[in-house]
Amino acid sequence: MTLWFVFALMTVAAIFAVLWPLSRRGRADSGGSEVVVYRDQLAEIDRDMASGIIGAAEADAARIEISRRLLAAADQSGRDAPVTGSITLRRAAAVVALVGLPVIASSFYLALGSPRLGDFPLAERSQVADANQPLTNLVAQVEAHLEKNPTDGRGWTVLAPVLSRLGRYDDAVRAYRNAITYAGDNADRRADLGEALMGSAGGVVTADAKAEFERSVALNGDDAKANYFLGLAAEQDGRKADAAALWQKMLAKAPSDAPWRPLVQAALVRVGGVSAPALPDGAVAAAKDMSEADRGTMIKGMVDRLATRLKTNGDDVEGWLRLVRAYLVMGERDKAISALADARQAVGNNADRLRQLNEGLKSLGLDG
Amino acid sequence: MIAESGHYALVLALALALIQSIVPIVGARWRDAALMNVARSTALAQLLFVAASFAALVTLHVTSDFSVANVFENSHSLKPLLYKITGVWGNHEGSMLLWVSILALFGGLVAAFGNNLPLSLRAHVLAVQAWVASAFYLFILITSNPFLRIANPPIEGRDLNPVLQDIGLAVHPPMLYLGYVGFSISFSFAVAALLEGRIDAAWARWVRPWTLMAWIFLTLGIAMGSYWAYYELGWGGWWFWDPVENASLMPWLAGTALLHSALVMEKRNALKVWTVLLSILTFSLSLLGTFLVRSGVLTSVHAFATDPTRGVFILLILFVFIGGSLSLYAWRAPALKQGGLFAPISREGALVLNNLLLTTACATVFIGTLYPLALEVLTGEKISVGAPFFNFTFAPLFVPLLLAVPFGPLLAWKRGDLLGAAQRLMVAGIVALVAIAVVFAWTYGGATLAPLAIGLAAFVIMGALCDLAERIALFRIPLSLSLRRARGLPRATWGTVFAHAGLGVALIGIVCETTWNSEYIGSMKPDDVAKVAGYELRLDGLNPRQGPNFREMVAQFTVTRDGEKVSVMTPSKRNFTTRGASTTEAALLTRGASQLYISLGDTSADGAIAVRIYHKPLVLMIWWGPVLMAFGGMLSLSDRRLRVGAPKPAKAAARALQAAE
């Protein structure tokens, strides 16, 4: 609110600057004219002669010349049209100031400015987030230590992830490279290096980053991070099928309690390796306007309804698969597994349906 | 709120500039005093708003508000306060804001102190000024807005380019911009004269001081930039004929020519049409310089911007203003009334010669700078035009110019006496010959051209002093009388003496530095001793040190001469972690006008460090020269008197006079 008040004041000041001269009567003769300049010059010659800078003969010659110009100028200024005033023009100018100025200013400002954003001076922010201060100090200390002992591989190993988290990706890249040089090469460090490279490229898996992930996979074919990002590289290249295949392979090989499972499963859903749980059209539209929490509740309610329906009618294989997928996407792995067991039980007496179910589960990355 | 208010102030300045571009012209057309006076109040209001906008950006940088993209990209919370402030114009967006701030400042000055200008001339001048301003406000707001925000501000900024973290940044760009943009005033006056179709005495009276002021700032700005490059970049050179340097040299050469032709105009009412053309050319070259530096056409320390839309936008501004003003000139110049008459051998004639040589020199720099660019655009071939080209073209033009410099002030207005001037310069000639002989004997077997160049420099300096001696009739009347006359001399005359002598001083520095420079390049370990030009430099050791936002490796050298300890020098190499960049901080030891210069290279695995040591004889004179010139300019500027050129009365056999233009 204060901001708009300040803007309004500034606009008024600007308009005033245009209106003020319009409101005053134009003086008949404001400003100097040529004649005045020549008169001043004649006076100066007298002064110069008096102080002995020019001789009398020179002064005379100069005087003659100036007088000649003075006469010409006087002649000219007599012929100039007198300064007039036109009320219509002034009114037009006033309208331009009153309407044009705010319109120009606001159209430019609203297109370019961010009026809702307040100031964020550092002093104020570091008071709020005091916990940040010691961290940056620590980082500075470690950096200073490493400056003197640049071959301390352990130091680089500790520093690198912190830098990465602080968003200082370029430094993190350097730190990871040093860690690899001095603390030995391994798949994890290569993958981390690739991730930092990605960070400095704004989240794009660049050729450099990809090369690091490939090196990591060469060192350890099961390195989860490297595999995941190689999939992401494929996705960013538009090879969604390759991405899905890579991620499905990962899920197939991984232990069931791997912490990154939900992430990969979600990614898989994104590239269409698995289609996301279908929602009724109305529900999607409704979900759009909801807050994060409300949307979560709504989805949970729908999933619960699906589960209840399947308990009474267990023949719907598609329904079971949708339920498992939904639990996986929501990160509730235990429920997914128990739903899986229920499904097997429900369709177990029908070989056809059981096969359909198992194939569906495979594509979700859950072993049948 | 500060960021957004600053942004809005800039937008309001644009709106005011647009009104200032149109309303006064309409007023001048219909001879309405009130409408013409709108130019004045809007120019002042514009200055107020741009100043507020600039102040807002400075505040944001000082408080490290990283929610502003410009601050985030170019600042760091640990940077010393001075560099937080100078960092405001150490980047593309901020430097453009400084550019328009200075433009508004000059507009405001014309508005505030232009009481003695004819009303319609003032209205036209301010309107033209507003055209330029509007174009640049649009450029800033659309392509390089310094007030764009980041919704989730990062904790820390990306820091300023370390090379720019130096006191030089506090002085060099503002000076240079004051010079560049100062020429916009003479440009506006020229275009206004063309629009009005007449040039009167008030016009002439105004243009010269403004040109002089811009010229002083540009001279100091270039000298400062050269000295900065000399000590900061660690190459030991002070001028590289780099396109960016040439971009500032071209307006200087044209501006120097303008300064002299404006003098003729003011005093003798001659050379008017030529002065108008020079005014247009000088500011056009300033715009060209801005284009070259800001568009990213050139890749160098200066080219922060590499965004094609910016380049195209500035190119457009360039075409509109240069093309437009030159077309206007072609159309309206014939209508301007012709000026006074003068003989070829006269003060005016000498100044015409000066103008011819300076503009030709400017043209050679122009070709040397733009030809490689044009060739690259047309054929894709990359060539570099470096020092050899400029030495072969620029030097032959400057030698006759320097030879002529002492003659100019000794010739009378309208018709002069060359023989008489030559007689009065006899002393200077003799001193020059003696200087040549002495230097030649001293450096026997060395460079042959250098003694001649030193002789030329001596001639220029002595010539300036001869002029002074002549005016105060030194040795012809009692000394006390001479001194009294010296006090009574117009300050403009003193200014001429200083400025012309400065030229000679700079020449001595240039010749000595390039000819008798000695150097030692090698790798040194602690306790090694290097010998350069009679000095012995012992490397005592290397120590790491922590600075506010960098870490540095400081080398300590003990300098001795003939066994006596002279001083300790501590060059260093700084490492800036945020940008992962390093700079060399050269150590300078000044002995008289000469300097010892040490710059560090890389350390090798065995603990040795690459070192470059130079002894540069009389190098400081290179910069004392421009400082003297600028001082002369200031003296001349402080001379508030009106200037009338008093011709010597025509003799019985008057020489044939010829038209000025």
Side-chain angles (χ1 to χ4, degrees), chain B residues 158-172:
Chain B
R158 292 214 187 121
D159 208 354
L160 180 68
N161 182 349
V163 174
L164 300 177
Q165 295 196 23
D166 186 89
I167 184 76
L169 185 64
V171 189
H172 168 61

Side-chain angles (χ1 to χ4, degrees), chain A:
Chain A
M1 209 54 223
T2 340
L3 186 71
W4 295 108
F5 183 65
V6 170
F7 284 4
L9 274 184
M10 286 162 80
T11 316
V12 168
I15 293 174
F16 177 72
V18 183
L19 292 187
W20 185 62
L22 291 177
S23 68
R24 287 163 41 113
R25 288 179 182 284
R27 281 159 292 160
D29 193 333
S30 64
S33 72
E34 226 176 342
V35 178
V36 182
V37 177
Y38 290 134
R39 286 216 187 97
D40 288 350
Q41 284 186 340
L42 279 178
E44 185 194 355
I45 290 187
D46 292 339
R47 274 202 306 276
D48 273 7
M49 210 179 77
S51 61
I53 290 169
I54 51 172
E58 286 166 344
D60 279 342
R63 244 184 239 129
I64 290 167
E65 246 194 76
I66 294 166
S67 309
R68 215 182 288 146
R69 291 182 210 163
L70 180 62
L71 284 175
D75 192 30
Q76 173 72 33
S77 66
R79 269 181 285 140
D80 274 345
V83 173
T84 54
S86 152
I87 287 292
T88 335
L89 274 175
R90 286 184 197 189
R91 287 210 180 119
V95 169
V96 166
L98 281 169
V99 180
L101 215 144
V103 168
I104 295 173
S106 53
S107 57
F108 265 94
Y109 179 74
L110 291 178
L112 298 167
S114 325
R116 301 219 178 138
L117 232 52
D119 285 343
F120 294 92
L122 193 71
E124 227 167 78
R125 283 200 288 149
S126 52
Q127 270 170 5
V128 177
D130 218 354
N132 276 319
Q133 208 48 42
L135 179 63
T136 48
N137 284 350
L138 278 176
V139 170
Q141 276 172 21
V142 175
E143 281 183 316
H145 161 79
L146 287 171
E147 180 84 1
K148 282 175 221 148
N149 312 288
T151 56
D152 178 1
R154 214 176 63 84
W156 289 115
T157 317
V158 172
L159 180 64
V162 182
L163 290 175
S164 221
R165 206 158 308 147
L166 285 176
R168 291 169 54 187
Y169 295 114
D170 290 337
D171 294 320
V173 167
R174 215 150 37 88
Y176 277 123
R177 289 225 163 99
N178 285 331
I180 288 169
T181 313
Y182 300 118
D185 202 353
N186 67 31
D188 282 348
R189 284 187 193 132
R190 285 286 171 190
D192 288 340
L193 171 57
E195 193 184 5
L197 281 166
M198 246 179 79
S200 68
V204 176
V205 186
T206 55
D208 285 347
K210 200 173 162 205
E212 294 303 334
F213 293 134
E214 274 159 0
R215 258 174 230 147
S216 165
V217 172
L219 291 167
N220 172 10
D222 291 337
D223 190 279
K225 188 179 260 176
N227 274 313
Y228 170 73
F229 282 121
L230 281 174
L232 195 65
E235 188 197 346
Q236 286 175 359
D237 289 350
R239 296 179 285 114
K240 293 201 170 175
D242 290 2
L246 235 149
W247 285 331
Q248 272 164 7
K249 207 174 89 194
M250 268 176 87
L251 289 171
K253 274 198 206 165
S256 55
D257 58 343
W260 41 264
R261 256 179 183 283
L263 176 77
V264 176
Q265 275 156 354
L268 206 49
V269 170
R270 193 174 62 227
V271 295
V274 188
S275 56
L279 293 171
D281 283 348
V284 174
K288 248 183 204 165
D289 304 328
M290 288 179 177
S291 73
E292 201 60 47
D294 288 350
R295 202 177 302 148
T297 328
M298 180 183 114
I299 291 172
K300 218 165 166 337
M302 283 167 54
V303 172
D304 288 346
R305 277 202 298 283
L306 182 62
T308 337
R309 186 164 61 79
L310 287 170
K311 261 189 196 134
T312 52
N313 172 16
D315 284 350
D316 182 2
V317 178
E318 277 301 314
W320 281 116
L321 284 173
R322 213 186 301 151
L323 183 66
V324 173
R325 229 179 285 143
Y327 282 136
L328 285 176
V329 171
M330 285 158 68
E332 299 184 41
R333 199 181 155 70
D334 297 343
K335 281 196 182 168
I337 285 171
S338 75
L340 188 77
D342 291 348
R344 288 238 168 83
Q345 227 168 20
V347 298
N349 48 9
N350 185 328
D352 233 19
R353 286 196 184 131
L354 189 61
R355 210 188 56 236
Q356 205 185 339
L357 179 72
N358 282 343
E359 265 165 25
L361 291 172
K362 254 184 207 154
S363 81
L364 279 176
L366 289 170
D367 271 318

Side-chain angles (χ1 to χ4, degrees), chain A residues 3 11 17 21 31-32 34 40 44 48 53 58 65 81 84 86 90 105 109 114 118-120 122 125 147 171, chain B residues 1-2 4 8 11 31-32 34 41 63 65 77 115-118 149 154 200-201 268 488 551 577 641-642 648:
Chain A
L3 186 71
T11 316
E34 226 176 342
D40 288 350
E44 185 194 355
D48 273 7
I53 290 169
E58 286 166 344
E65 246 194 76
T84 54
S86 152
R90 286 184 197 189
Y109 179 74
S114 325
D119 285 343
F120 294 92
L122 193 71
R125 283 200 288 149
E147 180 84 1
D171 294 320
Chain B
M1 197 167 98
I2 292 173
E4 295 308 313
Y8 190 67
V11 172
R31 302 208 52 77
D32 185 317
S41 58
T63 55
D65 187 338
S77 61
N115 288 326
N116 52 359
L117 279 174
R149 308 291 297 273
D200 53 26
R268 297 280 307 137
R551 271 183 298 289
T577 30
R641 301 166 342 124
L642 303 153
K648 285 243 177 352

